[in-house]
Amino acid sequence: MTGKKSFRTGLFPLIAATGALGLALTLSVNAHGEKEPDRWWAPGEGRVFPASLDYDNGHGTLRTLLVGGPMETRGHPFFEPLGPTGRACVTCHQPSDAMSLSVESVQRQWQRTGGKDPLFAAYDGSNCPTLPQDKAESHSLLLQRGLIRIERPWPVRSFNGKPVTPDFRIEVLRDPNGCNSGPHYGPEAGRISVYRRPRPVANMKYLLAVGFPFDPKQGYALPLDPDSGLPQSGNLMADNRSGSLRLQMEDAASSHLQMLKRLTPQQRKRLEDFELRIFTAQQFSKTGGAVDTGGAKAGPARLRDSQAGALGSIGEPVWSEFAGWEKISPEEAAKLTPQQLAFRQSVARGARVFREKTFLITDSAGINSRVGFGNPVRNSCVFCHNMTQMGNDVAPGQVDLGTTTLPFADPWNDLPLFRITCLGRPHPHYGRVIHTYDPGFALTSGRCEDVGKITLQSMRGLSARAPYFSNGLARDLRGVVDYYERRYSIGYTEQEKQDLVNLMSVL
């Protein structure tokens, strides 16, 4: 995988990289020659969130739109520190990072604050609270892969706190960070630690959209929101431990903000209102130009104005926003540089490859099991990334792509390694014994067949929030393509790989 070495050489170019980033902070001028606002939103600083906010990244410019903006953030629960550590929601959901958190931002903030920012709080911003917190090595998973420690109860408990009897046994084979063993951590202590990327909290109407009245991956009716009684999409959390916005907010407030009291109804309402009004996507490509010109119809305004939840095979094809870049008229081509023309045509080809290049999908729970598709099944990327405008899954539910489970995941030695033993039926693809860095959805459902399943993410704003996959497995966009190539032996040509990278860079 491209870039694999950089995850395994300690804090690699941290000093050099953050030194360069510090210079960028001083300059604070974007690609258009305009003064760029400070990239890091600190809790409680009281900035006004504008109606439109641009930040540059390696591939171009991300734009975030706030419907009804601008908005005063002073006193707003998303931007104010609500717990004792000085953290706020915005700490891990930065506007410059598509309302997620990039490794680039993490490293910059470590350099700026000497590791004193609330982001690096011991309880989940370090590899384990028992480590010396003033050392960068104790925060290596966050600094190198953008991973936050997630603590799950063991045995499994449902979202309402009721115990679930799992049909598997979990053992810790390796614990490099100390948070899965000893008197206070690990299965014996009733706590299991896994490490995951923060998920974006923008474009929420798409994440909440429900395309089916049942879960075709599990074969049963969707769970209902305990407040509204409506079906839950299952697309909010990596392990689906919180199916509604209220449950997600309460989970984050108690775990990541360490709030001693519950969010008030007024705070929840303001948080939900903000998250439902914010849309973010790449707006400008360094090579191809604006993504809403020359026949393309992409960008955050398209997300803001489009219907959520449409299946690509029924509505507009997925990434048809770029169809206008496929056949560019001579008059339009004359306005472009050769590089712009070639890049736009590459993006359009990438959209076609994404939809039309089929391959055999094998041994992937949630796809090849319990849904009648068979093993293998031949399809393309849109089989799972099928929601128009967004690229997440209209059919709710979790899928095991192998990103956290051996033999498909990279053999990293800095993550805990668990041995799962199925007590009832064996796993449909791994057998009775499974080795994994993160059991995923199984820590919510208690079912061995769900080991390794992770909720698919949306594909918007990718350029602003590297690395990718739930555990930061892919350092860059090429790493995403390389992983799928390796996992499913797709047979992409070099041109197709670059076309897919160019497509993802403008989403």
Side-chain angles (χ1 to χ4, degrees):
M1 184 185 75
T2 301
K4 188 185 299 183
K5 180 180 178 182
S6 66
F7 283 146
R8 301 183 184 173
T9 53
L11 293 179
F12 58 88
L14 179 57
I15 302 302
T18 50
L21 291 169
L23 176 61
L25 281 170
T26 303
L27 296 176
S28 295
V29 175
N30 66 21
H32 311 287
E34 303 162 339
K35 187 175 181 181
E36 186 178 76
D38 191 350
R39 299 183 72 88
W40 187 262
W41 286 64
E45 64 179 294
R47 278 196 242 178
V48 173
F49 201 107
S52 180
L53 180 59
D54 286 359
Y55 283 106
D56 283 353
N57 52 58
H59 292 282
T61 303
L62 180 88
R63 176 165 294 172
T64 299
L65 301 177
L66 181 63
V67 177
M71 185 188 80
E72 175 62 60
T73 65
R74 190 173 301 280
H76 193 286
F78 192 90
F79 298 89
E80 292 289 344
L82 300 181
T85 65
R87 277 238 195 115
C89 301
V90 73
T91 301
C92 294
H93 300 284
Q94 291 285 321
S96 65
D97 299 347
M99 303 307 291
S100 179
L101 186 66
S102 70
V103 158
E104 182 179 314
S105 291
V106 172
Q107 292 182 358
R108 183 191 301 112
Q109 203 61 9
W110 178 273
Q111 176 74 6
R112 291 178 79 177
T113 68
K116 302 300 183 184
D117 192 273
L119 171 64
F120 303 104
Y123 57 89
D124 66 352
S126 71
N127 299 356
C128 193
T130 59
L131 299 173
Q133 295 302 305
D134 59 337
K135 296 184 179 298
E137 290 82 1
S138 300
H139 305 266
S140 61
L141 293 175
L142 180 55
L143 284 165
Q144 295 185 38
R145 271 190 269 155
L147 303 182
I148 293 290
R149 188 173 72 91
I150 309 292
E151 197 168 79
R152 300 304 318 276
W154 183 260
V156 175
R157 288 186 175 273
S158 66
F159 68 88
N160 58 11
K162 293 183 178 180
V164 175
T165 302
D167 67 357
F168 61 90
R169 182 173 66 250
I170 186 166
E171 301 167 90
V172 180
L173 296 185
R174 186 182 66 231
D175 184 28
N177 305 305
C179 261
N180 279 292
S181 58
H184 303 295
Y185 298 99
E188 297 300 319
R191 298 192 284 178
I192 293 174
S193 290
V194 292
Y195 300 81
R196 298 175 184 158
R197 299 279 291 116
R199 295 171 70 90
V201 293
N203 310 319
M204 191 61 69
K205 73 176 181 181
Y206 295 88
L207 299 179
L208 295 175
V210 175
F212 290 88
F214 63 95
D215 181 348
K217 296 181 181 65
Q218 308 297 327
Y220 50 67
L222 292 178
L224 301 180
D225 187 318
D227 300 322
S228 69
L230 298 175
Q232 296 178 345
S233 71
N235 283 326
L236 288 179
M237 307 287 276
D239 56 13
N240 198 27
R241 65 184 182 275
S242 301
S244 70
L245 268 182
R246 177 180 69 80
L247 294 172
Q248 182 274 327
M249 292 172 192
E250 292 178 347
D251 177 274
S254 63
S255 59
H256 302 306
L257 300 184
Q258 296 283 284
M259 285 184 64
L260 302 179
K261 296 181 180 180
R262 301 185 67 159
L263 290 166
T264 68
Q266 182 185 31
Q267 287 172 326
R268 292 201 309 267
K269 186 177 186 304
R270 296 186 72 187
L271 286 168
E272 180 175 359
D273 172 74
F274 173 72
E275 293 181 7
L276 289 173
R277 290 193 292 124
I278 194 164
F279 296 88
T280 191
Q282 197 80 344
Q283 175 65 31
F284 184 86
S285 165
K286 286 183 177 179
T287 308
V291 301
D292 56 359
T293 60
K297 301 175 181 178
R302 181 69 181 272
L303 291 175
R304 178 195 62 197
D305 300 335
S306 296
Q307 177 185 356
L311 183 65
S313 61
I314 297 175
E316 299 177 353
V318 176
W319 313 137
S320 60
E321 296 95 313
F322 301 100
W325 281 2
E326 186 168 14
K327 296 179 180 179
I328 300 174
S329 68
E331 294 78 15
E332 183 67 26
K335 303 175 186 177
L336 305 173
T337 67
Q339 293 80 9
Q340 285 176 321
L341 177 60
F343 182 85
R344 292 185 179 195
Q345 291 174 332
S346 173
V347 168
R349 288 196 304 269
R352 280 198 170 274
V353 171
F354 194 91
R355 293 192 299 266
E356 299 174 8
K357 178 93 172 185
T358 63
F359 51 93
L360 293 177
I361 304 170
T362 58
D363 297 332
S364 297
I367 300 175
N368 301 117
S369 57
R370 294 192 62 177
V371 290
F373 291 123
N375 186 22
V377 57
R378 178 172 288 278
N379 217 300
S380 68
C381 298
V382 299
F383 191 46
C384 293
H385 296 280
N386 48 46
M387 186 183 290
T388 59
Q389 317 301 335
M390 277 288 278
N392 59 305
D393 198 353
V394 170
Q398 289 64 47
V399 170
D400 172 32
L401 300 174
T403 54
T404 68
T405 303
L406 298 177
F408 304 113
D410 284 349
W412 287 320
N413 59 12
D414 55 353
L415 290 174
L417 181 64
F418 303 99
R419 178 167 58 207
I420 305 291
T421 303
C422 303
L423 301 178
R425 293 186 303 177
H427 189 280
H429 308 301
Y430 296 121
R432 192 167 297 281
V433 178
I434 310 163
H435 294 91
T436 181
Y437 302 117
D438 183 347
F441 184 45
L443 291 178
T444 299
S445 71
R447 296 193 303 249
C448 196
E449 65 186 87
D450 293 331
V451 170
K453 286 185 180 179
I454 299 289
T455 304
L456 295 172
Q457 288 205 32
S458 72
M459 297 184 65
R460 288 296 191 166
L462 289 173
S463 290
R465 52 184 175 95
Y468 309 106
F469 296 118
S470 67
N471 59 356
L473 181 150
R475 179 176 65 91
D476 52 25
L477 294 175
R478 178 57 186 260
V480 174
V481 178
D482 287 345
Y483 177 77
Y484 281 106
E485 172 66 37
R486 189 169 70 250
R487 172 66 177 85
Y488 295 112
S489 302
I490 298 172
Y492 287 132
T493 66
E494 280 301 312
Q495 182 64 67
E496 288 173 330
K497 291 179 180 180
Q498 188 59 54
D499 292 342
L500 286 168
V501 168
N502 289 343
L503 167 68
M504 290 189 290
S505 76
V506 297
L507 296 180

